[in-house]
């Protein structure tokens, strides 16, 4: 059973599977799995989605892809997807996003 009450008590607004150390210290693409995420409806969540979507807009996508390639480890050359964008956002601005993000490693998110 998902520990939803625990997430709520901690003020968590985004739950995603992975390894926090790999994301926040090394920006490792392989340490986050965006296949299944829990996202609470909140202004903070809308701001996070806006930050993610801004990187995918056709006019700026190539520029963001180059930047992400220089930051995120284990990302295939020329790749730029939602997972790479989220790793980059969390790694580059933890002061803004980390407090309300829980990177779950106690169980596989896709198992539910």
């Amino acid at each position: 059973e998902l520990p939803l009450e625990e997430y709520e008590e901690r003020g968590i607004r985004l739950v995603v599977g992975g390894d926090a150390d790999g994301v926040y210290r090394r920006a490792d693409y392989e340490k986050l799995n965006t296949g299944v995420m829990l996202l609470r409806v909140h202004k903070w969540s809308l701001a996070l989605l806006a930050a993610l979507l801004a990187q995918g807009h056709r006019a700026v996508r190539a520029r963001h892809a180059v930047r992400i390639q220089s930051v995120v480890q284990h990302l295939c050359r020329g790749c730029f997807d939602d997972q790479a964008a989220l790793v980059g956002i969390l790694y580059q601005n933890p002061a803004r996003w980390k407090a309300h993000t829980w990177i779950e490693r106690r169980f596989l998110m896709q198992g539910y």
Side-chain angles (χ1 to χ4, degrees), residues 1 9 14 16 20 30 34 36 42 52 54 60 73 79 91 95 99 101:
E1 188 169 317
E9 289 171 4
L14 169 67
V16 61
E30 297 175 347
T34 58
V36 176
H42 190 277
L52 285 168
V60 296
Q73 295 181 34
C79 295
Y91 177 77
T101 300

Side-chain angles (χ1 to χ4, degrees), residues 4-111:
L4 298 177
E5 289 180 10
E6 176 187 342
Y7 299 147
E8 187 170 351
E9 289 171 4
R10 293 175 182 243
I12 300 302
R13 299 184 184 126
L14 169 67
V15 180
V16 61
D19 173 52
D21 187 60
V23 172
Y24 293 114
R25 290 181 184 243
R26 296 189 307 274
D28 191 334
Y29 181 81
E30 297 175 347
K31 299 301 180 183
L32 195 71
N33 184 342
T34 58
V36 176
M37 299 186 291
L38 303 177
L39 191 61
R40 178 172 287 284
V41 176
H42 190 277
K43 284 183 183 182
W44 180 94
S45 304
L46 293 175
L48 177 64
L49 289 174
L52 285 168
L53 291 172
Q55 294 184 42
H57 188 273
R58 191 177 321 167
V60 296
R61 185 173 174 81
R63 182 172 43 111
H64 286 295
V66 170
R67 182 181 53 78
I68 290 296
Q69 289 284 322
S70 70
V71 173
V72 177
Q73 295 181 34
H74 297 118
L75 183 60
C76 64
R77 187 156 185 81
C79 295
F80 181 63
D81 59 12
D82 61 323
Q83 187 164 309
L86 185 56
V87 169
I89 285 172
L90 295 175
Y91 177 77
Q92 293 179 316
N93 198 350
R96 170 100 193 257
W97 306 113
K98 188 175 181 178
H100 298 292
T101 300
W102 184 265
I103 300 179
E104 187 62 78
R105 65 177 295 146
R106 296 174 291 183
F107 53 85
L108 294 174
M109 294 291 295
Q110 60 271 32

